[in-house]
């Protein structure tokens, strides 16, 4: 910082210099491109891990619903927006009803984290504005439809847990490389 | 045609043109400010670039409900926008847009302008007082202090071109600036200093940042205008921007040579408009670059800095003119 | 109980002696959140200030008793929502302290990186809103505000690529962090840090040595050294009053001891001193973030497996207090654990709550315009005031 001027002319000159500097910054910004992204004609590129709205998915190989109705997501949800009823069947269980109150959802991704079958995921879109709140009370069909309609994010339960898993001390030496490889596979492709 | 009919038609035309200009100047300011802030400004209304935004704003304000606060002094509250608006429109009566083209090119034009434009403070105070709102009252008190403090240097600085030209008539002042580099802003030392002082005095008399303490949104939430909505608010906005444009025109006329410019004579009004917009944009540029200062600091700047400087400049101009005329005669 | 006292003081009207009682109410363009200041004015000078808080009380401490240790970190970010990483860090540090849970080194470095980036983002917001309070939403303040937010958005883009969220992250978990760096993130981070360092010079060009700015901030809101120690303010307020105290130095947490950084101290105690402190903190945070990126060790990001069930983390009986140097000061969390999956009691020590206590001492004697300058330089966030 410049030393404090004491004379009248000195102070006035300091004022002139400072004014010129500040107005120069503003003038320089006048000629920069604006940073506005004109949504909705132009959409920004969302990163891979974007936490958008939630959806249920089908299993890749069999095409069946991936959700087994285990209710782990219901138990972990902090604002308790998920309600699941299990339907027992012979080979595996299903979810009889699955409701998610999106208007109260915190988008914390804990339900995705705990899901053992990667059934519930988050999508790369957040755009669900409606004029009726009841449309944001998502039931199972709606969740499946959303899952088919939009692009999913990278995060699924198993991928997140693999990323967070500490290597077991016993397997540190021998299988260290294998673990690093599986971790590298679990990471999403380079951007 | 009887002169009164001519003047009436001219007044009607000028008022409408001024109102149209004022609404579009708000758009100009918003776009200019937006670009300085890395954003776009009005865009979608009247796509592209918000050409219909001022119309949309005007329609919205006209359709709003007219609210009068419960304990407000009704007559004072309702009349304040009008009392604020009338002087701000009346100043356009004396501005000639081209030689012979104007409502009334009085031979005391500059005096009339300065006198009438300082009447707006009455409307401002009425608005603040009649609103029965502490924020409005504080703002009105600050406004009276500030505008009175800055009207003095404003008058003295506006007198400098008058002394140089030797006449209070606006068209005579412009005629005296003819010739290459004849504009008073090019007058050695005195012209530039006077122009800068004029800009500072304009900023303060218009309540623009850094002197906009009376409408400081972050403390007083719109100041004396806080209780106004709908058409009354529109009138107040209109009056403020009209006053702003009026002083821009005055600045262009006094310092930048009015309608003088290259090209044929009928391009004169266009040059005048461009110069006024230049003054307006410089003031806007300053507005969007600085934080505001406190009211006691504003008053200190006026009484201790600007008033002495403007007096010294006026005296110096008088000496120069006397010396020159003594040398010639 | 407090009502009768409040009614005695608060008469919105004319308090005799030409004094005016004015309410800068919870809805105000410069209230920085929801804050009610009842000012007693004599003309333009503030004679007394009565601060009313509690408009944002959301029962965090009770909520923490009903949520388990794996659920609460994403809620913890809502206390200091502007600087969410440090808020979550406080909670998980408290749990780890009481439960004696180790955190792997990579996780510690990632936590430091996140906290310092968050500090830069939070200070960007501070600068923008402070200048907007002082300069007006239709004026130069808004210009600095939009520049600062433009830079803050770059950091939020980084956090979005890292966690998926822009404001409330859920990045921390007990034992480490939840997300590792994606591919290409370090490169993006370095570019962002370089750009922000450049832009800081622009802000300083607009504000430093600017007489309009100096005259608004110098000599305004002076907190003397004795007052700072008496009232117990923290963060940039105490460092602006001449006391060299930073929790990162006093009680290094999360491997801060391995980083070299300066702690800025100014002696003037006025708004300008606090501004200088925060501007230096900007640069120091960028330096620490660069050191964290350079020295990031390989390894796991959590010492406990990722969350698989809601009662996964159980903390044995004990109590402990963990504190963190947030952007606003010392943010602390006192945890009483009883062996289960939920805390028995949780107490948040909000930095802004303690900082606001200094207002009735420094505001009287100043003008109304100074009230907003002082409020901005104190930089309260009402999530941590009211919890």
């Amino acid at each position: 910082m410049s030393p404090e001027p004491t004379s009248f002319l000195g102070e006035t000159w300091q004022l002139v210099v400072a004014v010129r500097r500040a107005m120069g910054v503003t003038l320089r910004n006048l000629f920069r491109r604006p940073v506005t992204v004109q949504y909705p004609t132009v959409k920004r590129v969302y990163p891979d891990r974007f936490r958008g709205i939630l959806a249920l998915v089908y299993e890749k190989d069999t095409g069946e619903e991936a959700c087994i109705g285990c209710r782990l997501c219901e138990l972990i949800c902090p604002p308790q927006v998920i309600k699941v009823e299990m339907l027992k069947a012979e080979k595996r269980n299903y979810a009889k009803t699955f409701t998610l109150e999106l208007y109260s959802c915190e988008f914390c991704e804990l339900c995705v984290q705990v899901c053992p079958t990667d059934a519930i995921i988050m999508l790369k879109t957040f755009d669900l504005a409606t004029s009726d709140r009841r449309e944001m009370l998502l039931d199972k069909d709606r969740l499946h439809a959303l899952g088919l309609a939009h692009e999913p994010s990278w995060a699924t339960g198993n991928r997140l847990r693999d990323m967070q898993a500490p290597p077991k001390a016993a397997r540190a030496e021998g299988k260290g490389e294998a673990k690093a490889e599986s971790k590298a596979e679990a990471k999403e492709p380079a951007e | 045609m009887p002169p009164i009919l001519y003047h009436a038609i001219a007044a009607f035309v000028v008022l409408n043109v001024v109102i149209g200009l004022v609404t579009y100047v708000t758009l100009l300011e918003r776009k200019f400010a937006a670009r300085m802030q890395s954003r776009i400004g009005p865009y979608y209304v009247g796509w592209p670039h918000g050409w219909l935004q001022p119309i949309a704003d005007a329609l919205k304000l006209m359709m709003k409900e007219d609210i009068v606060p419960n304990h407000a002094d009704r007559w004072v509250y309702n009349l304040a926008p009008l009392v604020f608006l009338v002087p701000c429109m009346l100043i356009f009566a004396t501005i000639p847009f081209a030689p012979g083209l104007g409502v009334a090119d009085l031979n005391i034009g500059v005096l009339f302008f300065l006198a009438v434009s300082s009447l707006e403070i009455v409307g401002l105070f009425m608005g603040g007082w009649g609103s029965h709102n502490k924020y409005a009252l504080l703002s009105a008190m600050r406004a009276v202090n500030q505008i009175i403090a800055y009207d003095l240097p404003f008058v003295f600085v506006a007198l400098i071109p008058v002394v140089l030209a030797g006449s209070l008539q606006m068209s005579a002042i412009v005629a005296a600036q003819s010739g290459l580099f004849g504009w008073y802003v090019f007058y050695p030392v005195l012209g530039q200093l006077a122009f800068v002082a004029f800009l500072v005095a304009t900023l303060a008399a218009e309540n623009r940042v850094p002197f906009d303490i009376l409408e400081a949104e972050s403390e007083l939430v719109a100041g004396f205008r806080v209780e106004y909505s709908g058409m009354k608010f529109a009138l107040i906005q209109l009056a403020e921007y009209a006053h702003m444009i009026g002083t821009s025109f005055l600045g262009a006329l006094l310092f930048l040579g009015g309608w003088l410019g290259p090209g044929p004579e009928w391009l004169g009004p266009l040059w005048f408009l461009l110069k006024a917009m230049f003054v307006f944009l410089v003031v806007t540029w300053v507005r969007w670059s600085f934080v505001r200062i406190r009211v006691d600091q504003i008053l200190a700047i006026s009484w201790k800095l600007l008033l002495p400087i403007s007096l010294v400049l006026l005296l110096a101009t008088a000496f120069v003119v006397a010396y020159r005329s003594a040398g010639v005669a | 109980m407090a009502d009768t006292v409040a009614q005695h003081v608060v008469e919105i009207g004319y308090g005799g002696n030409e004094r005016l009682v004015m309410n800068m109410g919870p809805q105000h363009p410069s209230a920085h959140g929801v804050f009610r200041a009842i000012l007693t004015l004599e003309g333009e000078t503030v004679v007394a200030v009565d601060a009313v808080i509690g408009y944002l009380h959301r029962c965090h401490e009770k909520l923490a008793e009903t949520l388990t240790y794996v659920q609460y970190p994403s809620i913890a970010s809502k206390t200091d929502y502007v600087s969410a990483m440090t808020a979550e860090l406080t909670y998980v540090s408290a749990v780890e302290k009481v439960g004696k849970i180790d955190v792997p080194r990579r996780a510690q470095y990632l936590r430091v990186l996140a906290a310092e980036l968050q500090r830069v983002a939070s200070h960007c917001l501070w600068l923008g809103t402070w200048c907007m309070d002082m300069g007006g939403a239709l004026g130069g303040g808004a210009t600095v505000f939009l520049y600062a937010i433009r830079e803050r958005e770059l950091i939020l883009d980084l956090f979005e690529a890292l966690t998926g969220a822009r404001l409330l992250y859920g990045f921390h978990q007990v034992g480490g962090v939840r997300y590792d760096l994606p591919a290409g993130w370090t490169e993006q981070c370095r570019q962002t840090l370089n750009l922000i360092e450049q832009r800081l010079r622009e802000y300083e060009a607009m504000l430093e040595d600017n007489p309009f700015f100096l005259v608004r901030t110098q000599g305004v809101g002076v907190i003397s050294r004795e007052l700072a120690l008496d009232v117990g303010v923290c963060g940039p307020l105490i460092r602006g009053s001449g006391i060299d105290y930073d929790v990162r130095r006093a009680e290094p947490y999360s491997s801060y001891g391995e980083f070299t950084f300066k702690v800025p101290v100014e002696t003037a105690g006025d708004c300008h001193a606090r501004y200088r402190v925060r501007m230096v903190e900007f640069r120091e945070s960028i330096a620490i973030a660069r050191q964290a990126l350079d020295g990031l060790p390989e390894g796991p990001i959590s010492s406990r497996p990722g969350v698989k069930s809601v009662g996964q983390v159980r903390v044995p009986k004990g109590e402990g207090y963990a504190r963190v140097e947030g952007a606003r000061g010392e943010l602390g969390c006192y945890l009483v654990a009883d062996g289960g999956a939920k805390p028995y009691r949780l107490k948040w020590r909000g930095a802004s709550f303690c900082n606001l206590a200094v207002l009735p001492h420094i505001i009287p004697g100043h003008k109304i315009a100074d009230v907003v300058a002082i409020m901005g330089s104190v930089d309260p966030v009402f999530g941590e005031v009211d919890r």
Side-chain angles (χ1 to χ4, degrees):
Chain A
M1 272 195 355
S2 50
E4 291 290 320
T6 47
S7 69
F8 178 76
L9 280 180
E11 278 184 17
T12 317
W13 181 244
Q14 188 197 22
L15 176 66
V16 168
V17 166
V19 161
R20 195 178 61 196
R21 201 164 50 205
M23 286 172 72
V25 170
T26 342
L27 192 65
R28 207 177 328 140
N29 274 288
L30 183 65
F31 298 111
R32 275 194 189 138
R33 283 197 70 178
V35 296
T36 317
V37 172
Q38 284 176 294
Y39 187 85
T41 30
V42 175
K43 286 192 176 42
R44 159 176 95 85
V45 175
Y46 300 118
D48 279 337
R49 296 185 187 176
F50 187 74
R51 288 191 210 156
I53 56 183
L54 291 137
L56 288 172
V57 295
Y58 298 101
E59 277 176 23
K60 284 199 189 45
D61 28 359
T62 60
E64 289 205 339
E65 293 169 10
C67 177
I68 56 172
C70 66
R71 306 179 72 201
L72 277 175
C73 53
E74 177 178 352
L75 288 170
I76 198 149
C77 179
Q80 295 165 0
V81 303
I82 303 183
K83 301 277 185 294
V84 186
E85 283 177 11
M86 189 195 278
L87 174 70
K88 283 195 185 300
E90 318 155 337
K91 297 228 180 74
R92 49 156 285 191
N93 298 327
Y94 290 90
K96 186 156 74 172
T97 59
F98 191 114
T99 45
L100 192 147
E101 297 169 70
L102 197 65
Y103 45 81
S104 298
C105 172
E106 281 185 357
F107 297 89
C108 60
E109 215 171 35
L110 280 172
C111 53
V112 175
Q113 165 110 30
V114 294
C115 183
T117 54
D118 295 351
I120 188 168
I121 56 159
M122 294 182 104
L123 304 170
K124 274 198 204 176
T125 175
F126 62 90
D127 200 356
L128 205 55
T130 71
S131 48
D132 189 350
R133 228 170 164 211
R134 288 169 289 191
E135 283 184 48
M136 292 185 75
L137 177 62
L138 307 173
D139 56 0
K140 196 157 80 112
D141 297 326
R142 188 92 197 283
L143 283 164
H144 278 299
L146 283 169
L148 291 173
H150 299 284
E151 193 188 342
S153 287
W154 168 82
T156 67
N158 284 309
R159 282 191 190 150
L160 282 172
R161 286 194 296 272
D162 284 341
M163 188 196 271
Q164 295 154 6
K168 298 253 183 345
R171 311 192 290 171
E173 301 299 311
K175 294 199 180 172
E177 285 180 28
K179 196 76 182 168
E181 268 175 24
S182 66
K183 256 168 77 165
E185 276 169 23
K187 284 201 172 82
E188 76 283 19
E191 285 149 341
Chain B
M1 163 169 5
I4 185 135
L5 189 59
Y6 166 74
H7 285 301
I9 293 178
F12 182 73
V13 167
V14 164
L15 273 179
N16 280 301
V17 165
V18 163
I19 291 179
L21 188 63
V22 162
T23 47
Y24 273 89
V25 143
T26 55
L27 180 66
L28 173 68
E29 173 168 23
R30 284 168 74 171
K31 296 293 277 185
F32 187 66
R35 289 284 162 158
M36 284 202 290
Q37 293 171 344
S38 291
R39 58 186 177 94
I40 297 186
Y43 189 80
Y44 286 105
V45 181
W47 189 92
H49 298 302
W51 287 111
L52 290 180
Q53 180 76 44
I55 313 279
D57 286 341
L59 283 176
K60 175 205 77 165
L61 285 170
M62 279 196 265
M63 292 196 295
K64 271 193 160 177
E65 181 186 351
D66 184 34
I67 301 176
V68 178
N70 218 358
H71 297 288
D73 193 332
R74 294 189 78 95
W75 277 101
V76 175
Y77 178 81
N78 286 327
L79 277 181
L82 282 178
V83 176
F84 190 45
L85 177 69
V86 168
C88 299
M89 287 295 179
L90 205 52
I91 53 181
F92 287 96
T94 57
I95 297 185
F97 296 98
L101 187 73
V103 179
D105 194 12
L106 301 175
N107 56 355
I108 50 160
V110 175
L111 178 64
F112 183 84
F113 188 105
L114 295 171
V116 167
S117 77
S118 53
L119 280 179
E120 61 160 8
I121 183 67
V122 178
L124 206 149
F125 192 74
M126 280 170 71
W129 181 264
S131 296
H132 196 261
N133 182 327
K134 282 176 201 160
Y135 292 131
L137 185 66
L138 272 172
S139 150
M141 300 292 188
R142 287 175 176 178
V144 170
N145 254 324
Q146 179 183 326
I147 295 190
I148 290 181
Y150 277 93
D151 264 346
L152 277 173
F154 191 62
V155 165
F156 287 134
V157 168
L159 280 181
I160 291 177
V162 167
V163 168
L164 284 175
S167 161
L168 281 169
Q169 191 172 12
M170 297 212 188
S171 48
I173 299 180
V174 174
Q177 293 181 56
S178 56
L180 195 63
F181 292 120
W183 298 355
Y184 285 145
V185 76
F186 293 129
Y187 206 87
V189 182
L190 283 178
Q192 285 97 36
L193 288 179
F195 188 52
V196 169
F198 180 83
L199 285 178
V200 174
T202 304
L203 273 173
E206 298 304 319
N207 315 317
R208 299 251 129 180
V209 176
F211 305 111
D212 79 336
I213 196 71
L214 71 92
E215 67 178 43
E217 301 79 17
S218 44
E219 313 152 31
L220 296 185
V221 199
F224 71 97
R225 301 180 298 213
V226 69
E227 293 284 355
Y228 285 99
S229 70
M231 205 55 211
K232 291 189 209 140
F233 179 76
L235 288 178
I236 292 182
Q237 279 287 82
L238 191 63
E240 274 195 18
Y241 274 94
H243 194 192
M244 187 67 241
I245 303 288
T247 43
S248 304
F249 273 116
L250 184 72
L253 199 143
L254 290 178
F255 289 98
L256 294 180
W259 55 76
L260 296 171
E265 262 206 34
W266 52 267
L267 270 186
L270 182 64
W271 289 120
F272 197 15
L273 183 66
L274 284 177
K275 289 174 198 174
M277 286 302 107
F278 170 74
V279 173
F280 176 75
L281 282 181
V282 170
V283 169
T284 302
W285 181 16
V286 172
R287 178 193 196 190
W288 291 93
S289 303
F290 295 108
V291 298
R292 73 169 64 92
I293 49 181
R294 264 195 343 239
V295 66
D296 55 332
Q297 293 154 355
I298 294 180
L299 296 175
I301 287 190
S302 161
W303 294 110
K304 294 189 207 171
L305 183 70
L306 202 57
L307 188 61
I309 288 183
S310 56
L311 275 174
V312 163
L313 283 177
L314 186 60
L315 279 177
T317 316
F319 272 128
V320 164
V321 169
Y323 177 75
R324 278 218 184 144
S325 62
V328 166
Chain C
M1 24 121 211
D3 260 4
T4 45
V5 176
Q7 269 165 17
H8 171 69
V9 171
V10 176
E11 298 165 355
I12 308 287
Y14 291 90
N17 262 355
E18 303 280 339
R19 285 186 178 184
L20 191 65
V21 178
M22 189 169 93
N23 188 30
M24 266 173 101
Q27 291 154 317
H28 193 91
S30 80
H32 272 272
V34 277
F35 177 63
R36 185 174 179 207
I38 303 173
L39 305 168
T40 311
L41 302 169
E42 247 181 36
E44 279 265 339
T45 318
V46 176
V47 167
V49 66
D50 201 5
V52 181
I53 56 173
Y55 291 93
L56 196 56
H57 181 62
R58 294 159 298 169
C59 314
H60 263 273
E61 299 178 357
K62 181 66 186 173
L63 196 60
E65 295 174 22
T66 59
L67 292 174
T68 63
Y69 296 111
V70 303
Q71 288 173 304
Y72 192 70
S74 42
I75 312 284
S77 49
K78 298 180 215 273
T79 49
D80 185 357
Y81 44 79
V82 170
S83 162
M85 289 289 191
T86 44
E88 292 173 21
L89 181 58
T90 317
Y91 177 74
V92 294
S93 296
V95 178
E96 285 156 6
K97 205 170 198 178
V98 176
K100 300 192 184 19
I101 299 172
D102 281 331
V103 179
R105 278 200 30 141
R106 186 179 171 88
Q108 288 183 358
Y109 270 63
L110 284 176
R111 283 181 176 182
V112 167
L113 184 58
E116 293 308 316
L117 282 175
Q118 182 72 77
R119 196 185 313 274
V120 175
S122 171
H123 282 338
C124 276
L125 187 76
W126 157 77
L127 186 66
T129 51
W130 190 43
C131 287
M132 189 150 83
D133 287 346
M134 289 200 298
L138 296 176
T143 311
V144 180
F145 173 73
L146 284 167
Y147 294 161
I149 295 297
R150 186 184 58 191
E151 267 63 84
R152 182 180 152 92
E153 290 289 308
L154 296 172
I155 299 187
L156 296 190
D157 284 341
L158 279 176
F159 281 143
E160 199 189 15
L162 178 63
T163 63
R166 293 178 80 88
L167 191 73
L168 303 167
Y169 311 106
F171 178 62
H172 295 78
Q173 68 178 17
V174 177
V177 296
R178 271 171 84 191
Y179 299 92
D180 206 343
L181 304 181
W185 196 87
T186 38
E187 208 26 66
Q188 189 186 355
C189 186
R190 281 186 214 274
Q191 281 173 358
T192 306
L193 290 174
N194 290 340
L195 184 65
I196 293 185
E197 208 169 13
Q198 254 184 329
R199 294 277 165 81
L200 274 180
R201 266 177 257 147
E202 269 192 25
Y203 306 153
E204 292 190 330
M206 278 192 84
L207 295 175
E208 203 83 24
D209 284 350
N210 189 337
F212 295 130
F213 180 74
L214 290 178
V215 79
R216 274 310 284 276
T217 55
Q218 276 179 336
V220 169
V222 178
I223 302 179
S224 66
R225 203 193 146 96
E226 296 75 31
L227 182 65
L229 286 172
D230 274 343
V231 172
V233 294
C234 50
L237 272 73
I238 209 169
R239 291 195 282 278
S241 295
I243 300 165
D244 185 358
Y245 187 76
D246 187 328
V247 180
R248 297 174 290 178
R249 270 286 152 69
E251 215 178 276
Y253 54 92
S254 185
S255 74
Y256 263 106
E258 297 171 19
F259 294 88
T260 41
F261 57 98
K262 277 201 314 253
V263 172
V265 175
E266 300 270 334
T267 48
D270 57 7
C271 290
H272 191 76
R274 298 192 275 275
Y275 157 80
R276 288 290 337 145
V277 165
R278 286 190 176 103
M279 294 307 276
V280 177
E281 279 184 8
F282 255 120
R283 296 209 148 86
E284 292 305 314
S285 291
I286 293 179
I288 300 177
R290 287 201 179 115
Q291 288 173 38
L293 279 176
D294 290 336
L296 192 62
E298 294 298 322
I301 58 172
S302 174
S303 66
R304 302 179 68 98
V307 174
K308 271 206 283 223
S309 76
V310 70
Q312 191 171 332
V313 176
R314 284 174 191 273
V315 174
K317 244 184 173 169
E319 332 189 320
Y321 179 66
R323 51 201 187 126
V324 150
E325 181 74 22
R328 279 155 199 87
E330 177 184 323
L331 187 60
C333 179
Y334 188 85
L335 183 70
V336 179
D338 64 350
K342 302 183 190 179
Y344 176 73
R345 172 78 171 98
L346 177 73
K347 164 89 174 89
W348 279 101
R349 186 238 190 239
S352 304
F353 184 73
C354 302
N355 288 345
L356 281 182
V358 83
L359 284 183
H361 299 279
I362 57 173
I363 288 187
H366 286 107
K367 309 255 182 311
I368 301 180
D370 296 326
V371 173
V372 288
I374 296 172
M375 280 290 296
S377 76
V378 165
D379 191 20
V381 165
F382 286 85
E384 47 174 24
V385 173
D386 296 334
R387 300 178 285 271

